[in-house]
């Protein structure tokens, strides 16, 4: 393009005015992400208590993860509009939440919640992340981290409602369905992608590209990779494996803590699952993505150990013979550690995709990595089924799943650099 500016790496920019509604678009995307949160975290906490519920959750996670990649592919090529994608996501998310409301039978729940709800959430998750990153190219990881945080803690009102009035759980899901339809539908009317190569004119792209302090902690890719090229590297499968292991443990923790009956610990876990994402992104800008990701997964592994110790503590029987949730302070500490580690790895992996493979096709490459969440859902269901008989052993396995990727993270290297360059 004739008016494009190039930096020292050859990346092109087209500086232009910042639209007056950029902030509003960010908050609409944030609201849409919060609206789909009950589909994952609300269902995992309230309804995934037996084999049937766990199977439905695993299928939902697979559909949500698989739905993001084709949606992004079509949106980026102009074959599917943002408005159309989010309108479909609103309708499908409404159907999913309505179908999840008990006591609907299993066949209806499978079609409505697991399939339609999963695909709808995948559409919203993928498109909202792409829109926000396109309008904030100077800090895409931090901004996307904020909206994915809403996907973590957006289920809090539903969990509080169900905790206060368990008999009204069905009504709570129906209200969440209406809220999702209205919120995502509103976002569909206003969200749009930034023009190709757009850059805010109040930030000099060449100075930004040469910022030595930023490059020390968040270096840029050696070159711009396409999805097919990224798949041929060792790095992309490693990132997908990390997401599979950590994603399985993250969903499993919600099911385990909900099973203890401690709604306070569950609320802390879900709230930190979302809030820790933006905090981790800020820390990664100061200390580096890989260091913070290793710390996050370590916290997740420690959380499993604390939860296992808490569940190994005998329950106390009081009053009329009702058992009190076992573990006491250890349960709360485990929920805190698991919450801090159970969500923050998602935006960190997305930012590592940009750091390793470049920004031009980062959305599509991250969607490939994110599709590994389908395996994570199956892993979470398997762990939860295992935990029905031996919860302490299941948590020990979960601790290993979180710890092993943490040990491997320091060996990750930017593809395309000579192997002789030290890590």
């Amino acid at each position: 393009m004739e008016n494009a500016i190039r930096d020292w790496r050859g990346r092109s920019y087209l500086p232009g005015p910042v639209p007056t509604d950029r902030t509003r678009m960010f908050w609409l995307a944030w609201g849409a992400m919060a609206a789909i949160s009950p589909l994952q975290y609300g269902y995992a906490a309230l309804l995934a208590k037996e084999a049937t519920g766990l199977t439905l959750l695993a299928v939902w996670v697979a559909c949500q993860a698989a739905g993001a990649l084709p949606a992004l592919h079509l949106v980026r090529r102009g074959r599917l509009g943002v408005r159309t994608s989010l309108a479909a996501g609103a309708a499908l998310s409404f159907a999913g939440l309505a179908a999840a409301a008990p006591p609907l039978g299993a066949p209806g729940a499978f079609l409505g919640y697991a399939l339609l709800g999963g695909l709808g959430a995948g559409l919203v998750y993928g498109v909202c992340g792409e829109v926000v990153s396109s309008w904030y190219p100077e800090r895409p990881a931090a901004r996307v981290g904020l909206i994915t945080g809403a996907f973590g803690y957006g289920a809090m009102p539903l969990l509080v409602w169900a905790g206060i009035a368990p008999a009204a759980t069905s009504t709570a899901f129906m209200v969440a369905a209406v809220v999702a339809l209205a919120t995502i539908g509103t976002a569909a009317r206003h969200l749009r992608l930034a023009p190709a190569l757009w850059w805010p004119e109040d930030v000099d792209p060449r100075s930004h590209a040469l910022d030595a302090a930023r490059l020390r902690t968040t270096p840029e890719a050696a070159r711009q990779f396409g999805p097919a090229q990224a798949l041929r590297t060792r790095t992309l499968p490693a990132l997908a494996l990390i997401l599979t292991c950590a994603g399985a443990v993250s969903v499993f923790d919600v099911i385990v803590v909900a099973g203890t009956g401690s709604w306070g610990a569950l609320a802390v876990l879900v709230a930190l699952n979302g809030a820790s994402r933006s905090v981790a992104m800020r820390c990664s800008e100061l200390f580096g993505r890989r260091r913070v990701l290793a710390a996050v997964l370590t916290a997740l592994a420690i959380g499993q150990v604390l939860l296992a110790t808490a569940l190994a503590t005998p329950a106390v029987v009081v009053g009329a013979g009702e058992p009190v949730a076992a573990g006491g302070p250890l349960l709360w500490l485990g929920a805190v550690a698991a919450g801090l580690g159970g969500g923050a790895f998602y935006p960190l992996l997305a930012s590592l995709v940009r750091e390793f493979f470049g920004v031009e096709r980062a959305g599509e490459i991250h969607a490939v990595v994110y599709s590994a969440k389908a395996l994570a859902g199956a892993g979470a269901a398997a762990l939860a089924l295992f935990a029905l008989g031996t919860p302490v052993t299941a948590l020990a396995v979960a601790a290993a799943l979180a710890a092993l990727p943490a040990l491997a993270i320091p060996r990750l290297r930017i593809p395309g650099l000579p192997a002789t360059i030290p890590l």
Side-chain angles (χ1 to χ4, degrees):
M1 297 184 181
E2 294 182 0
N3 299 323
I5 296 175
R6 292 184 180 273
D7 63 18
W8 65 284
R9 287 184 178 271
R11 182 184 171 192
S12 298
Y13 308 83
L14 284 175
V18 177
T20 56
D21 62 343
R22 181 170 77 154
T23 301
R24 182 176 64 164
M25 285 196 289
F26 169 81
W27 285 112
L28 286 172
W30 179 92
M33 294 287 267
I36 61 173
S37 177
L39 282 163
Q40 175 166 305
Y41 294 102
Y43 189 92
L46 300 174
L47 302 177
K49 298 178 180 179
E50 56 184 19
T52 301
L54 292 172
T55 301
L56 291 175
L57 178 62
V59 175
W60 182 91
V61 172
C63 291
Q64 187 254 341
L69 180 57
L72 277 178
H73 183 80
L74 294 173
V75 167
R76 285 180 65 90
R77 281 158 178 73
R79 298 175 183 174
L80 185 65
V82 170
R83 175 174 293 187
T84 303
S85 301
L86 290 179
L92 293 173
S93 298
F94 172 83
L97 285 165
L104 189 63
F110 180 81
L111 175 62
Y113 168 73
L115 296 181
L116 299 182
L119 291 174
L123 281 170
V124 175
Y125 192 100
V127 173
C128 285
E130 183 71 8
V131 168
V132 169
S133 64
S134 74
W135 284 114
Y136 290 89
E138 73 279 22
R139 291 190 69 195
R143 287 291 175 167
V144 173
L146 286 171
I147 66 166
T148 59
F151 179 62
Y153 52 67
M156 283 296 297
L158 175 71
L159 296 180
V160 171
W161 184 343
I164 295 174
T169 298
S170 179
T171 304
F173 271 95
M174 288 303 303
V175 171
V178 174
V179 170
L181 182 65
T183 304
I184 303 169
T186 302
R189 295 184 57 188
H190 300 283
L191 294 186
R192 63 188 185 277
L193 288 172
L197 306 182
W198 179 84
W199 186 269
E201 61 183 4
D202 55 350
V203 178
D204 182 7
R206 288 171 292 194
S207 298
H208 179 81
L210 286 170
D211 187 348
R214 181 182 65 85
L215 291 174
R216 275 195 299 269
T217 55
T218 58
E220 294 187 354
R223 60 185 177 88
Q224 301 296 318
F225 286 75
Q229 295 169 319
L231 281 168
R232 289 195 292 268
T233 68
R234 296 180 180 179
T235 304
L236 189 142
L239 295 178
L241 181 60
I242 292 170
L243 190 144
T244 300
C245 295
V249 176
S250 176
V251 176
F252 170 63
D253 285 341
V254 176
I255 300 170
V256 167
V257 175
T260 66
S262 175
W263 288 100
L266 177 63
V268 168
L269 172 69
V270 174
L272 289 177
N273 185 291
S276 64
R277 304 185 190 208
S278 57
V279 175
M281 293 311 301
R282 177 55 182 160
C283 291
S284 72
E285 293 175 351
L286 298 174
F287 306 110
R289 315 284 193 207
R290 281 168 282 189
R291 289 180 181 176
V292 175
L293 179 58
V296 162
L297 294 180
T298 300
L300 184 61
I302 292 172
Q304 310 315 299
V305 175
L306 291 171
L307 289 174
T309 306
L311 293 183
T313 304
V316 179
V317 179
V318 295
E322 298 257 341
V324 177
L330 284 176
L331 177 64
W332 285 78
L333 288 174
V336 168
L340 290 173
F345 63 87
Y346 282 113
L348 287 169
L349 288 172
S351 62
L352 281 175
V353 167
R354 292 184 175 87
E355 185 176 305
F356 290 154
F357 304 111
V359 298
E360 291 183 2
R361 307 288 295 276
E364 293 175 81
I365 297 173
H366 175 245
V368 174
V369 175
Y370 191 76
S371 64
K373 188 180 176 184
L375 296 176
L383 284 171
L385 285 172
F386 189 22
L388 293 177
T390 54
V392 175
T393 305
L395 283 163
V397 173
L401 284 176
L404 290 176
L407 297 174
I409 285 171
R411 303 301 304 173
L412 290 175
R413 96 168 32 248
I414 296 177
L417 291 181
T420 53
I421 293 181
L423 296 175

